[in-house]
mmCIF file with all atom_site columns, all heavy atoms in Angstrom:
data_model
loop_
_atom_site.group_PDB
_atom_site.id
_atom_site.type_symbol
_atom_site.label_atom_id
_atom_site.label_alt_id
_atom_site.label_comp_id
_atom_site.label_asym_id
_atom_site.label_entity_id
_atom_site.label_seq_id
_atom_site.pdbx_PDB_ins_code
_atom_site.Cartn_x
_atom_site.Cartn_y
_atom_site.Cartn_z
_atom_site.occupancy
_atom_site.B_iso_or_equiv
_atom_site.pdbx_formal_charge
_atom_site.auth_seq_id
_atom_site.auth_comp_id
_atom_site.auth_asym_id
_atom_site.auth_atom_id
_atom_site.pdbx_PDB_model_num
ATOM 1   N N   . LEU A 1 1  ? 0.855  -1.185  0.000   1.00 98.00 ? 671 LEU A N   1
ATOM 2   C CA  . LEU A 1 1  ? 0.000  0.000   0.000   1.00 98.00 ? 671 LEU A CA  1
ATOM 3   C C   . LEU A 1 1  ? 0.890  1.232   0.000   1.00 98.00 ? 671 LEU A C   1
ATOM 4   O O   . LEU A 1 1  ? 1.754  1.379   0.872   1.00 98.00 ? 671 LEU A O   1
ATOM 5   C CB  . LEU A 1 1  ? -0.905 0.038   1.234   1.00 98.00 ? 671 LEU A CB  1
ATOM 6   C CG  . LEU A 1 1  ? -1.718 1.341   1.407   1.00 98.00 ? 671 LEU A CG  1
ATOM 7   C CD1 . LEU A 1 1  ? -2.728 1.513   0.279   1.00 98.00 ? 671 LEU A CD1 1
ATOM 8   C CD2 . LEU A 1 1  ? -2.410 1.386   2.770   1.00 98.00 ? 671 LEU A CD2 1
ATOM 9   N N   . VAL A 1 2  ? 0.702  2.101   -0.993  1.00 98.00 ? 672 VAL A N   1
ATOM 10  C CA  . VAL A 1 2  ? 1.387  3.387   -1.029  1.00 98.00 ? 672 VAL A CA  1
ATOM 11  C C   . VAL A 1 2  ? 0.363  4.456   -0.664  1.00 98.00 ? 672 VAL A C   1
ATOM 12  O O   . VAL A 1 2  ? -0.611 4.666   -1.384  1.00 98.00 ? 672 VAL A O   1
ATOM 13  C CB  . VAL A 1 2  ? 1.995  3.671   -2.418  1.00 98.00 ? 672 VAL A CB  1
ATOM 14  C CG1 . VAL A 1 2  ? 2.644  5.054   -2.435  1.00 98.00 ? 672 VAL A CG1 1
ATOM 15  C CG2 . VAL A 1 2  ? 3.013  2.603   -2.784  1.00 98.00 ? 672 VAL A CG2 1
ATOM 16  N N   . ALA A 1 3  ? 0.575  5.113   0.458   1.00 98.00 ? 673 ALA A N   1
ATOM 17  C CA  . ALA A 1 3  ? -0.338 6.141   0.939   1.00 98.00 ? 673 ALA A CA  1
ATOM 18  C C   . ALA A 1 3  ? 0.168  7.508   0.499   1.00 98.00 ? 673 ALA A C   1
ATOM 19  O O   . ALA A 1 3  ? 1.147  8.018   1.043   1.00 98.00 ? 673 ALA A O   1
ATOM 20  C CB  . ALA A 1 3  ? -0.464 6.075   2.457   1.00 98.00 ? 673 ALA A CB  1
ATOM 21  N N   . GLY A 1 4  ? -0.481 8.068   -0.509  1.00 97.00 ? 674 GLY A N   1
ATOM 22  C CA  . GLY A 1 4  ? -0.074 9.358   -1.047  1.00 97.00 ? 674 GLY A CA  1
ATOM 23  C C   . GLY A 1 4  ? 0.467  9.208   -2.459  1.00 97.00 ? 674 GLY A C   1
ATOM 24  O O   . GLY A 1 4  ? 1.348  8.377   -2.705  1.00 97.00 ? 674 GLY A O   1
ATOM 25  N N   . ALA A 1 5  ? -0.082 9.992   -3.397  1.00 97.00 ? 675 ALA A N   1
ATOM 26  C CA  . ALA A 1 5  ? 0.318  9.884   -4.806  1.00 97.00 ? 675 ALA A CA  1
ATOM 27  C C   . ALA A 1 5  ? 0.852  11.206  -5.329  1.00 97.00 ? 675 ALA A C   1
ATOM 28  O O   . ALA A 1 5  ? 0.705  11.513  -6.508  1.00 97.00 ? 675 ALA A O   1
ATOM 29  C CB  . ALA A 1 5  ? -0.866 9.417   -5.654  1.00 97.00 ? 675 ALA A CB  1
ATOM 30  N N   . GLY A 1 6  ? 1.475  11.977  -4.451  1.00 96.00 ? 676 GLY A N   1
ATOM 31  C CA  . GLY A 1 6  ? 2.091  13.233  -4.873  1.00 96.00 ? 676 GLY A CA  1
ATOM 32  C C   . GLY A 1 6  ? 3.512  12.995  -5.359  1.00 96.00 ? 676 GLY A C   1
ATOM 33  O O   . GLY A 1 6  ? 3.816  11.968  -5.960  1.00 96.00 ? 676 GLY A O   1
ATOM 34  N N   . ALA A 1 7  ? 4.399  13.949  -5.096  1.00 96.00 ? 677 ALA A N   1
ATOM 35  C CA  . ALA A 1 7  ? 5.768  13.854  -5.579  1.00 96.00 ? 677 ALA A CA  1
ATOM 36  C C   . ALA A 1 7  ? 6.469  12.601  -5.058  1.00 96.00 ? 677 ALA A C   1
ATOM 37  O O   . ALA A 1 7  ? 7.074  11.851  -5.825  1.00 96.00 ? 677 ALA A O   1
ATOM 38  C CB  . ALA A 1 7  ? 6.544  15.103  -5.170  1.00 96.00 ? 677 ALA A CB  1
ATOM 39  N N   . LEU A 1 8  ? 6.375  12.362  -3.769  1.00 97.00 ? 678 LEU A N   1
ATOM 40  C CA  . LEU A 1 8  ? 7.019  11.194  -3.176  1.00 97.00 ? 678 LEU A CA  1
ATOM 41  C C   . LEU A 1 8  ? 6.356  9.912   -3.659  1.00 97.00 ? 678 LEU A C   1
ATOM 42  O O   . LEU A 1 8  ? 7.032  8.925   -3.986  1.00 97.00 ? 678 LEU A O   1
ATOM 43  C CB  . LEU A 1 8  ? 6.957  11.298  -1.650  1.00 97.00 ? 678 LEU A CB  1
ATOM 44  C CG  . LEU A 1 8  ? 7.981  10.505  -0.835  1.00 97.00 ? 678 LEU A CG  1
ATOM 45  C CD1 . LEU A 1 8  ? 9.394  10.776  -1.295  1.00 97.00 ? 678 LEU A CD1 1
ATOM 46  C CD2 . LEU A 1 8  ? 7.822  10.832  0.646   1.00 97.00 ? 678 LEU A CD2 1
ATOM 47  N N   . GLY A 1 9  ? 5.029  9.920   -3.729  1.00 98.00 ? 679 GLY A N   1
ATOM 48  C CA  . GLY A 1 9  ? 4.311  8.736   -4.195  1.00 98.00 ? 679 GLY A CA  1
ATOM 49  C C   . GLY A 1 9  ? 4.647  8.366   -5.621  1.00 98.00 ? 679 GLY A C   1
ATOM 50  O O   . GLY A 1 9  ? 4.778  7.181   -5.964  1.00 98.00 ? 679 GLY A O   1
ATOM 51  N N   . ASN A 1 10 ? 4.811  9.365   -6.498  1.00 98.00 ? 680 ASN A N   1
ATOM 52  C CA  . ASN A 1 10 ? 5.209  9.111   -7.882  1.00 98.00 ? 680 ASN A CA  1
ATOM 53  C C   . ASN A 1 10 ? 6.534  8.348   -7.934  1.00 98.00 ? 680 ASN A C   1
ATOM 54  O O   . ASN A 1 10 ? 6.654  7.329   -8.619  1.00 98.00 ? 680 ASN A O   1
ATOM 55  C CB  . ASN A 1 10 ? 5.373  10.430  -8.640  1.00 98.00 ? 680 ASN A CB  1
ATOM 56  C CG  . ASN A 1 10 ? 4.118  10.896  -9.350  1.00 98.00 ? 680 ASN A CG  1
ATOM 57  O OD1 . ASN A 1 10 ? 4.052  10.895  -10.575 1.00 98.00 ? 680 ASN A OD1 1
ATOM 58  N ND2 . ASN A 1 10 ? 3.106  11.285  -8.584  1.00 98.00 ? 680 ASN A ND2 1
ATOM 59  N N   . GLU A 1 11 ? 7.516  8.854   -7.212  1.00 98.00 ? 681 GLU A N   1
ATOM 60  C CA  . GLU A 1 11 ? 8.842  8.237   -7.238  1.00 98.00 ? 681 GLU A CA  1
ATOM 61  C C   . GLU A 1 11 ? 8.835  6.859   -6.590  1.00 98.00 ? 681 GLU A C   1
ATOM 62  O O   . GLU A 1 11 ? 9.493  5.928   -7.068  1.00 98.00 ? 681 GLU A O   1
ATOM 63  C CB  . GLU A 1 11 ? 9.856  9.140   -6.543  1.00 98.00 ? 681 GLU A CB  1
ATOM 64  C CG  . GLU A 1 11 ? 10.266 10.347  -7.347  1.00 98.00 ? 681 GLU A CG  1
ATOM 65  C CD  . GLU A 1 11 ? 11.052 9.971   -8.593  1.00 98.00 ? 681 GLU A CD  1
ATOM 66  O OE1 . GLU A 1 11 ? 11.947 9.108   -8.512  1.00 98.00 ? 681 GLU A OE1 1
ATOM 67  O OE2 . GLU A 1 11 ? 10.765 10.537  -9.659  1.00 98.00 ? 681 GLU A OE2 1
ATOM 68  N N   . VAL A 1 12 ? 8.102  6.716   -5.493  1.00 98.00 ? 682 VAL A N   1
ATOM 69  C CA  . VAL A 1 12 ? 8.048  5.427   -4.809  1.00 98.00 ? 682 VAL A CA  1
ATOM 70  C C   . VAL A 1 12 ? 7.409  4.368   -5.704  1.00 98.00 ? 682 VAL A C   1
ATOM 71  O O   . VAL A 1 12 ? 7.941  3.251   -5.849  1.00 98.00 ? 682 VAL A O   1
ATOM 72  C CB  . VAL A 1 12 ? 7.271  5.552   -3.477  1.00 98.00 ? 682 VAL A CB  1
ATOM 73  C CG1 . VAL A 1 12 ? 6.810  4.178   -2.984  1.00 98.00 ? 682 VAL A CG1 1
ATOM 74  C CG2 . VAL A 1 12 ? 8.150  6.206   -2.417  1.00 98.00 ? 682 VAL A CG2 1
ATOM 75  N N   . VAL A 1 13 ? 6.288  4.686   -6.333  1.00 98.00 ? 683 VAL A N   1
ATOM 76  C CA  . VAL A 1 13 ? 5.614  3.702   -7.191  1.00 98.00 ? 683 VAL A CA  1
ATOM 77  C C   . VAL A 1 13 ? 6.488  3.346   -8.386  1.00 98.00 ? 683 VAL A C   1
ATOM 78  O O   . VAL A 1 13 ? 6.590  2.182   -8.781  1.00 98.00 ? 683 VAL A O   1
ATOM 79  C CB  . VAL A 1 13 ? 4.239  4.227   -7.639  1.00 98.00 ? 683 VAL A CB  1
ATOM 80  C CG1 . VAL A 1 13 ? 3.608  3.279   -8.664  1.00 98.00 ? 683 VAL A CG1 1
ATOM 81  C CG2 . VAL A 1 13 ? 3.301  4.362   -6.438  1.00 98.00 ? 683 VAL A CG2 1
ATOM 82  N N   . LYS A 1 14 ? 7.130  4.340   -8.974  1.00 98.00 ? 684 LYS A N   1
ATOM 83  C CA  . LYS A 1 14 ? 8.053  4.061   -10.086 1.00 98.00 ? 684 LYS A CA  1
ATOM 84  C C   . LYS A 1 14 ? 9.126  3.077   -9.665  1.00 98.00 ? 684 LYS A C   1
ATOM 85  O O   . LYS A 1 14 ? 9.404  2.088   -10.348 1.00 98.00 ? 684 LYS A O   1
ATOM 86  C CB  . LYS A 1 14 ? 8.667  5.374   -10.582 1.00 98.00 ? 684 LYS A CB  1
ATOM 87  C CG  . LYS A 1 14 ? 9.659  5.211   -11.729 1.00 98.00 ? 684 LYS A CG  1
ATOM 88  C CD  . LYS A 1 14 ? 11.104 5.228   -11.247 1.00 98.00 ? 684 LYS A CD  1
ATOM 89  C CE  . LYS A 1 14 ? 11.527 6.611   -10.787 1.00 98.00 ? 684 LYS A CE  1
ATOM 90  N NZ  . LYS A 1 14 ? 12.966 6.650   -10.384 1.00 98.00 ? 684 LYS A NZ  1
ATOM 91  N N   . ASN A 1 15 ? 9.755  3.330   -8.509  1.00 98.00 ? 685 ASN A N   1
ATOM 92  C CA  . ASN A 1 15 ? 10.823 2.458   -8.032  1.00 98.00 ? 685 ASN A CA  1
ATOM 93  C C   . ASN A 1 15 ? 10.304 1.065   -7.680  1.00 98.00 ? 685 ASN A C   1
ATOM 94  O O   . ASN A 1 15 ? 10.988 0.062   -7.914  1.00 98.00 ? 685 ASN A O   1
ATOM 95  C CB  . ASN A 1 15 ? 11.502 3.075   -6.815  1.00 98.00 ? 685 ASN A CB  1
ATOM 96  C CG  . ASN A 1 15 ? 12.341 4.286   -7.168  1.00 98.00 ? 685 ASN A CG  1
ATOM 97  O OD1 . ASN A 1 15 ? 12.719 4.482   -8.309  1.00 98.00 ? 685 ASN A OD1 1
ATOM 98  N ND2 . ASN A 1 15 ? 12.628 5.117   -6.170  1.00 98.00 ? 685 ASN A ND2 1
ATOM 99  N N   . LEU A 1 16 ? 9.104  1.000   -7.106  1.00 98.00 ? 686 LEU A N   1
ATOM 100 C CA  . LEU A 1 16 ? 8.523  -0.304  -6.762  1.00 98.00 ? 686 LEU A CA  1
ATOM 101 C C   . LEU A 1 16 ? 8.322  -1.159  -8.002  1.00 98.00 ? 686 LEU A C   1
ATOM 102 O O   . LEU A 1 16 ? 8.714  -2.330  -8.044  1.00 98.00 ? 686 LEU A O   1
ATOM 103 C CB  . LEU A 1 16 ? 7.181  -0.117  -6.047  1.00 98.00 ? 686 LEU A CB  1
ATOM 104 C CG  . LEU A 1 16 ? 7.216  0.386   -4.611  1.00 98.00 ? 686 LEU A CG  1
ATOM 105 C CD1 . LEU A 1 16 ? 5.800  0.705   -4.135  1.00 98.00 ? 686 LEU A CD1 1
ATOM 106 C CD2 . LEU A 1 16 ? 7.863  -0.638  -3.673  1.00 98.00 ? 686 LEU A CD2 1
ATOM 107 N N   . VAL A 1 17 ? 7.713  -0.573  -9.032  1.00 98.00 ? 687 VAL A N   1
ATOM 108 C CA  . VAL A 1 17 ? 7.426  -1.331  -10.252 1.00 98.00 ? 687 VAL A CA  1
ATOM 109 C C   . VAL A 1 17 ? 8.718  -1.770  -10.928 1.00 98.00 ? 687 VAL A C   1
ATOM 110 O O   . VAL A 1 17 ? 8.864  -2.936  -11.326 1.00 98.00 ? 687 VAL A O   1
ATOM 111 C CB  . VAL A 1 17 ? 6.553  -0.508  -11.216 1.00 98.00 ? 687 VAL A CB  1
ATOM 112 C CG1 . VAL A 1 17 ? 6.402  -1.233  -12.554 1.00 98.00 ? 687 VAL A CG1 1
ATOM 113 C CG2 . VAL A 1 17 ? 5.176  -0.256  -10.615 1.00 98.00 ? 687 VAL A CG2 1
ATOM 114 N N   . LEU A 1 18 ? 9.683  -0.866  -11.052 1.00 98.00 ? 688 LEU A N   1
ATOM 115 C CA  . LEU A 1 18 ? 10.936 -1.223  -11.698 1.00 98.00 ? 688 LEU A CA  1
ATOM 116 C C   . LEU A 1 18 ? 11.719 -2.252  -10.889 1.00 98.00 ? 688 LEU A C   1
ATOM 117 O O   . LEU A 1 18 ? 12.505 -3.025  -11.462 1.00 98.00 ? 688 LEU A O   1
ATOM 118 C CB  . LEU A 1 18 ? 11.791 0.029   -11.917 1.00 98.00 ? 688 LEU A CB  1
ATOM 119 C CG  . LEU A 1 18 ? 11.245 1.047   -12.920 1.00 98.00 ? 688 LEU A CG  1
ATOM 120 C CD1 . LEU A 1 18 ? 12.198 2.232   -13.043 1.00 98.00 ? 688 LEU A CD1 1
ATOM 121 C CD2 . LEU A 1 18 ? 11.025 0.415   -14.295 1.00 98.00 ? 688 LEU A CD2 1
ATOM 122 N N   . SER A 1 19 ? 11.498 -2.304  -9.580  1.00 98.00 ? 689 SER A N   1
ATOM 123 C CA  . SER A 1 19 ? 12.190 -3.273  -8.723  1.00 98.00 ? 689 SER A CA  1
ATOM 124 C C   . SER A 1 19 ? 11.537 -4.643  -8.741  1.00 98.00 ? 689 SER A C   1
ATOM 125 O O   . SER A 1 19 ? 12.095 -5.599  -8.191  1.00 98.00 ? 689 SER A O   1
ATOM 126 C CB  . SER A 1 19 ? 12.249 -2.763  -7.278  1.00 98.00 ? 689 SER A CB  1
ATOM 127 O OG  . SER A 1 19 ? 12.980 -1.559  -7.196  1.00 98.00 ? 689 SER A OG  1
ATOM 128 N N   . GLY A 1 20 ? 10.343 -4.743  -9.319  1.00 97.00 ? 690 GLY A N   1
ATOM 129 C CA  . GLY A 1 20 ? 9.692  -6.041  -9.441  1.00 97.00 ? 690 GLY A CA  1
ATOM 130 C C   . GLY A 1 20 ? 8.448  -6.238  -8.602  1.00 97.00 ? 690 GLY A C   1
ATOM 131 O O   . GLY A 1 20 ? 7.822  -7.302  -8.666  1.00 97.00 ? 690 GLY A O   1
ATOM 132 N N   . PHE A 1 21 ? 8.064  -5.243  -7.812  1.00 98.00 ? 691 PHE A N   1
ATOM 133 C CA  . PHE A 1 21 ? 6.821  -5.371  -7.041  1.00 98.00 ? 691 PHE A CA  1
ATOM 134 C C   . PHE A 1 21 ? 5.639  -5.354  -8.008  1.00 98.00 ? 691 PHE A C   1
ATOM 135 O O   . PHE A 1 21 ? 5.570  -4.498  -8.896  1.00 98.00 ? 691 PHE A O   1
ATOM 136 C CB  . PHE A 1 21 ? 6.709  -4.236  -6.023  1.00 98.00 ? 691 PHE A CB  1
ATOM 137 C CG  . PHE A 1 21 ? 7.673  -4.365  -4.882  1.00 98.00 ? 691 PHE A CG  1
ATOM 138 C CD1 . PHE A 1 21 ? 8.909  -3.727  -4.926  1.00 98.00 ? 691 PHE A CD1 1
ATOM 139 C CD2 . PHE A 1 21 ? 7.356  -5.127  -3.767  1.00 98.00 ? 691 PHE A CD2 1
ATOM 140 C CE1 . PHE A 1 21 ? 9.819  -3.856  -3.878  1.00 98.00 ? 691 PHE A CE1 1
ATOM 141 C CE2 . PHE A 1 21 ? 8.252  -5.247  -2.715  1.00 98.00 ? 691 PHE A CE2 1
ATOM 142 C CZ  . PHE A 1 21 ? 9.490  -4.617  -2.765  1.00 98.00 ? 691 PHE A CZ  1
ATOM 143 N N   . ARG A 1 22 ? 4.710  -6.281  -7.805  1.00 97.00 ? 692 ARG A N   1
ATOM 144 C CA  . ARG A 1 22 ? 3.643  -6.477  -8.780  1.00 97.00 ? 692 ARG A CA  1
ATOM 145 C C   . ARG A 1 22 ? 2.251  -6.165  -8.248  1.00 97.00 ? 692 ARG A C   1
ATOM 146 O O   . ARG A 1 22 ? 1.304  -6.062  -9.033  1.00 97.00 ? 692 ARG A O   1
ATOM 147 C CB  . ARG A 1 22 ? 3.673  -7.924  -9.271  1.00 97.00 ? 692 ARG A CB  1
ATOM 148 C CG  . ARG A 1 22 ? 4.950  -8.267  -10.028 1.00 97.00 ? 692 ARG A CG  1
ATOM 149 C CD  . ARG A 1 22 ? 4.994  -9.720  -10.424 1.00 97.00 ? 692 ARG A CD  1
ATOM 150 N NE  . ARG A 1 22 ? 6.140  -10.002 -11.302 1.00 97.00 ? 692 ARG A NE  1
ATOM 151 C CZ  . ARG A 1 22 ? 6.446  -11.202 -11.778 1.00 97.00 ? 692 ARG A CZ  1
ATOM 152 N NH1 . ARG A 1 22 ? 5.688  -12.241 -11.455 1.00 97.00 ? 692 ARG A NH1 1
ATOM 153 N NH2 . ARG A 1 22 ? 7.487  -11.362 -12.570 1.00 97.00 ? 692 ARG A NH2 1
ATOM 154 N N   . HIS A 1 23 ? 2.109  -6.049  -6.948  1.00 98.00 ? 693 HIS A N   1
ATOM 155 C CA  . HIS A 1 23 ? 0.790  -5.849  -6.345  1.00 98.00 ? 693 HIS A CA  1
ATOM 156 C C   . HIS A 1 23 ? 0.831  -4.576  -5.502  1.00 98.00 ? 693 HIS A C   1
ATOM 157 O O   . HIS A 1 23 ? 1.295  -4.588  -4.365  1.00 98.00 ? 693 HIS A O   1
ATOM 158 C CB  . HIS A 1 23 ? 0.407  -7.053  -5.490  1.00 98.00 ? 693 HIS A CB  1
ATOM 159 C CG  . HIS A 1 23 ? 0.579  -8.365  -6.191  1.00 98.00 ? 693 HIS A CG  1
ATOM 160 N ND1 . HIS A 1 23 ? -0.287 -8.800  -7.168  1.00 98.00 ? 693 HIS A ND1 1
ATOM 161 C CD2 . HIS A 1 23 ? 1.543  -9.321  -6.081  1.00 98.00 ? 693 HIS A CD2 1
ATOM 162 C CE1 . HIS A 1 23 ? 0.118  -9.976  -7.620  1.00 98.00 ? 693 HIS A CE1 1
ATOM 163 N NE2 . HIS A 1 23 ? 1.232  -10.312 -6.977  1.00 98.00 ? 693 HIS A NE2 1
ATOM 164 N N   . ILE A 1 24 ? 0.368  -3.480  -6.079  1.00 98.00 ? 694 ILE A N   1
ATOM 165 C CA  . ILE A 1 24 ? 0.506  -2.161  -5.448  1.00 98.00 ? 694 ILE A CA  1
ATOM 166 C C   . ILE A 1 24 ? -0.827 -1.438  -5.466  1.00 98.00 ? 694 ILE A C   1
ATOM 167 O O   . ILE A 1 24 ? -1.437 -1.274  -6.531  1.00 98.00 ? 694 ILE A O   1
ATOM 168 C CB  . ILE A 1 24 ? 1.554  -1.308  -6.194  1.00 98.00 ? 694 ILE A CB  1
ATOM 169 C CG1 . ILE A 1 24 ? 2.894  -2.044  -6.300  1.00 98.00 ? 694 ILE A CG1 1
ATOM 170 C CG2 . ILE A 1 24 ? 1.727  0.045   -5.507  1.00 98.00 ? 694 ILE A CG2 1
ATOM 171 C CD1 . ILE A 1 24 ? 3.862  -1.420  -7.286  1.00 98.00 ? 694 ILE A CD1 1
ATOM 172 N N   . ASP A 1 25 ? -1.306 -1.022  -4.305  1.00 98.00 ? 695 ASP A N   1
ATOM 173 C CA  . ASP A 1 25 ? -2.459 -0.128  -4.197  1.00 98.00 ? 695 ASP A CA  1
ATOM 174 C C   . ASP A 1 25 ? -1.947 1.271   -3.882  1.00 98.00 ? 695 ASP A C   1
ATOM 175 O O   . ASP A 1 25 ? -1.058 1.430   -3.035  1.00 98.00 ? 695 ASP A O   1
ATOM 176 C CB  . ASP A 1 25 ? -3.410 -0.577  -3.086  1.00 98.00 ? 695 ASP A CB  1
ATOM 177 C CG  . ASP A 1 25 ? -4.192 -1.835  -3.441  1.00 98.00 ? 695 ASP A CG  1
ATOM 178 O OD1 . ASP A 1 25 ? -4.063 -2.310  -4.583  1.00 98.00 ? 695 ASP A OD1 1
ATOM 179 O OD2 . ASP A 1 25 ? -4.912 -2.360  -2.566  1.00 98.00 ? 695 ASP A OD2 1
ATOM 180 N N   . VAL A 1 26 ? -2.522 2.273   -4.540  1.00 98.00 ? 696 VAL A N   1
ATOM 181 C CA  . VAL A 1 26 ? -2.132 3.665   -4.315  1.00 98.00 ? 696 VAL A CA  1
ATOM 182 C C   . VAL A 1 26 ? -3.364 4.443   -3.884  1.00 98.00 ? 696 VAL A C   1
ATOM 183 O O   . VAL A 1 26 ? -4.367 4.485   -4.618  1.00 98.00 ? 696 VAL A O   1
ATOM 184 C CB  . VAL A 1 26 ? -1.548 4.311   -5.585  1.00 98.00 ? 696 VAL A CB  1
ATOM 185 C CG1 . VAL A 1 26 ? -1.075 5.727   -5.290  1.00 98.00 ? 696 VAL A CG1 1
ATOM 186 C CG2 . VAL A 1 26 ? -0.415 3.475   -6.148  1.00 98.00 ? 696 VAL A CG2 1
ATOM 187 N N   . VAL A 1 27 ? -3.311 5.062   -2.709  1.00 98.00 ? 697 VAL A N   1
ATOM 188 C CA  . VAL A 1 27 ? -4.460 5.821   -2.212  1.00 98.00 ? 697 VAL A CA  1
ATOM 189 C C   . VAL A 1 27 ? -4.114 7.303   -2.121  1.00 98.00 ? 697 VAL A C   1
ATOM 190 O O   . VAL A 1 27 ? -3.048 7.680   -1.631  1.00 98.00 ? 697 VAL A O   1
ATOM 191 C CB  . VAL A 1 27 ? -4.939 5.287   -0.836  1.00 98.00 ? 697 VAL A CB  1
ATOM 192 C CG1 . VAL A 1 27 ? -3.820 5.340   0.206   1.00 98.00 ? 697 VAL A CG1 1
ATOM 193 C CG2 . VAL A 1 27 ? -6.154 6.052   -0.347  1.00 98.00 ? 697 VAL A CG2 1
#
């Protein structure tokens, strides 16, 4: 679960996906 989709959330989700995480909820 990524809480927050602003500047930090953008970078975190990008890094998660590129690192191989496949199941991500963004609120």
Side-chain angles (χ1 to χ4, degrees):
L671 173 65
V672 177
L678 202 52
N680 268 249
E681 285 293 316
V682 161
V683 173
K684 179 261 289 183
N685 289 341
L686 287 172
V687 173
L688 293 180
S689 298
F691 289 94
R692 296 176 173 178
H693 310 285
I694 305 166
D695 288 355
V696 184
V697 58

